[in-house]
């Protein structure tokens, strides 16, 4: 039996694992290597890094740090979490593991944008977070892909960096209550460019120059586990199960996730020692 199992390999999960392992407790981190942070080419607003670092580099450093303190990291998909006699069972596609405490740190899945070129230009013009990456598009021509209030909210965030903002609804009608931005409702055929994003091509073969495109479809729902278990930040309604990071927070920032994880880890350590 582990003292703690962390579900999720993003910043929140790894930060919690570091705290728990340093406290001398056994911790297993379970997750697929699919954190949204892997898509971030530039992380420039996280404390302690004088130079820009990529999201992938930051996660890799976090995993090495967690392992240095004794945390174990498993690449697997969690299928279910259930009660056990003296804790919880975590069923994965590999096998089932047992722990005294659980941290849900699964993040929020990024909504798919089924447009040719999106994957190619992730980190090269395509982004999912204006707060994270808007700075890199100062004064540039930027598009927001979405048709609801979330898209307008992201456009408002981008006004700090540029006034050249267009809402692309990709064939849908704009459903936002308020809008002051240019809107293009034509369906997008593809994103094109050489090494970075340069233009949007529509179904009628017309095209527009764009240097940044922020995906802002319907705000993704919280992780399925969080919904099922009625999770709130840190301590959930189920004693021994905790949560931190994007799955319980709308402000998707690394600093927020690791701060929540530190508080959750402290509570998990206390719970495990008293179990």
């Amino acid at each position: 039996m582990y003292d703690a199992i962390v579900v999720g390999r993003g910043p929140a999960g790894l930060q919690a694992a570091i705290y728990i392992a340093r406290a001398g407790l056994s911790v297993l981190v379970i997750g697929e290597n699919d954190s949204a942070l892997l898509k971030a080419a530039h992380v420039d607003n996280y404390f302690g890094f004088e130079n820009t670092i990529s999201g992938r580099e930051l996660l890799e450093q976090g995993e090495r740090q967690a392992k240095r303190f004794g945390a174990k990291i498993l690449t697997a998909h969690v299928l279910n979490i259930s009660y056990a006699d003296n804790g919880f069972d975590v069923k994965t596609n590999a096998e089932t593991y047992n722990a005294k405490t659980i941290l849900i740190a699964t993040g929020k899945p990024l909504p798919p944008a089924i447009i040719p070129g999106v994957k190619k230009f992730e980190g090269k013009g395509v982004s999912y977070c204006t707060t994270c990456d808007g700075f890199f598009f100062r004064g540039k021509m930027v598009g927001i892909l979405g048709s609801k209030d979330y898209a307008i909210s992201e456009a408002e965030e981008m006004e700090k960096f540029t006034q050249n903002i267009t809402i692309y609804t990709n064939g849908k009608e704009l459903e936002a209550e308020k809008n002051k931005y240019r809107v293009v409702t034509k369906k997008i055929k593809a994103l094109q460019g050489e090494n970075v994003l340069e233009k949007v091509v529509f179904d009628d073969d017309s095209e527009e120059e764009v240097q940044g495109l922020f995906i802002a479809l319907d705000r993704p729902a919280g992780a399925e586990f969080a919904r099922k278990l009625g999770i709130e930040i840190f301590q959930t309604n189920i004693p021994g199960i905790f949560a931190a990071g994007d799955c319980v927070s709308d402000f998707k920032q690394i600093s927020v996730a690791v701060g929540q994880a530190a508080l959750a880890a402290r509570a998990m350590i206390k719970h495990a020692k008293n179990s």
Side-chain angles (χ1 to χ4, degrees):
M1 169 183 274
Y2 287 94
D3 290 308
I5 287 179
V6 174
V7 182
R9 287 173 59 179
L14 292 171
Q15 178 68 85
I18 289 167
Y19 269 76
I20 294 166
R22 285 184 76 247
L25 303 184
S26 59
V27 55
L28 172 66
V29 180
I30 305 176
E32 296 176 285
N33 198 21
D34 59 355
S35 171
L37 191 57
L38 291 170
K39 301 179 185 296
H42 307 283
V43 176
D44 215 24
N45 59 349
Y46 185 58
F47 175 81
F49 290 88
E50 179 182 1
N51 299 312
T52 300
I53 188 173
S54 72
R56 181 176 296 276
E57 290 174 313
L58 188 60
L59 284 174
E60 288 174 350
Q61 288 191 28
E63 287 202 1
R64 289 195 295 269
Q65 186 178 5
K67 288 178 179 178
R68 177 163 61 89
F69 292 117
K72 294 183 179 179
I73 298 177
L74 173 68
T75 301
H77 178 62
V78 174
L79 303 175
N80 189 42
I81 300 173
S82 59
Y83 289 106
D85 291 339
N86 53 354
F88 303 93
D89 283 337
V90 179
K91 182 181 179 182
T92 75
N93 57 326
E95 57 182 284
T96 299
Y97 301 89
N98 186 250
K100 296 177 182 177
T101 61
I102 303 291
L103 176 69
I104 307 295
T106 49
K108 286 184 179 178
L110 295 175
I114 312 302
I115 298 172
V118 165
K119 292 294 183 183
K120 175 182 177 181
F121 295 111
E122 284 178 341
K124 301 176 182 178
V126 171
S127 176
Y128 296 85
C129 177
T130 55
T131 303
C132 309
D133 297 333
F135 177 84
F136 300 108
F137 296 90
R138 300 184 306 282
K140 296 184 178 181
M141 300 184 69
V142 168
I144 309 291
L145 179 63
S147 60
K148 297 187 178 182
D149 286 329
Y150 181 36
I152 301 301
S153 175
E154 290 288 84
E156 291 172 347
E157 185 71 25
M158 277 305 302
E159 283 193 60
K160 302 173 186 175
F161 310 109
T162 182
Q163 298 300 309
N164 299 315
I165 301 170
T166 298
I167 306 290
Y168 294 106
T169 66
N170 195 26
K172 298 181 179 180
E173 293 298 320
L174 185 67
E175 298 180 31
E177 292 184 7
K178 297 180 181 180
N179 173 54
K180 61 180 179 181
Y181 304 99
R182 176 175 178 263
V183 177
V184 175
T185 59
K186 291 189 288 187
K187 195 164 183 62
I188 298 174
K189 182 178 181 180
L191 306 181
Q192 293 184 356
E194 290 294 329
N195 297 319
V196 296
L197 177 64
E198 297 175 1
K199 60 185 177 181
V200 174
V201 180
F202 302 99
D203 271 358
D204 62 3
D205 290 326
S206 63
E207 57 187 53
E208 289 189 357
E209 179 183 353
V210 64
Q211 294 157 309
L213 183 67
F214 289 83
I215 310 300
L217 306 178
D218 297 349
R219 180 171 292 280
E224 189 66 23
F225 298 124
R227 281 201 302 269
K228 287 181 179 179
L229 297 172
I231 281 174
E232 299 174 2
I233 296 175
F234 313 143
Q235 172 68 61
T236 72
N237 60 317
I238 301 174
I241 295 187
F242 301 79
D246 288 353
C247 69
V248 289
S249 174
D250 283 333
F251 193 35
K252 297 174 64 175
Q253 294 293 287
I254 303 169
S255 55
V256 173
V258 298
Q260 291 178 353
L263 291 170
R266 182 177 66 175
M268 292 173 72
I269 292 165
K270 181 178 179 180
H271 186 95
K273 287 183 176 179
N274 293 333
S275 296

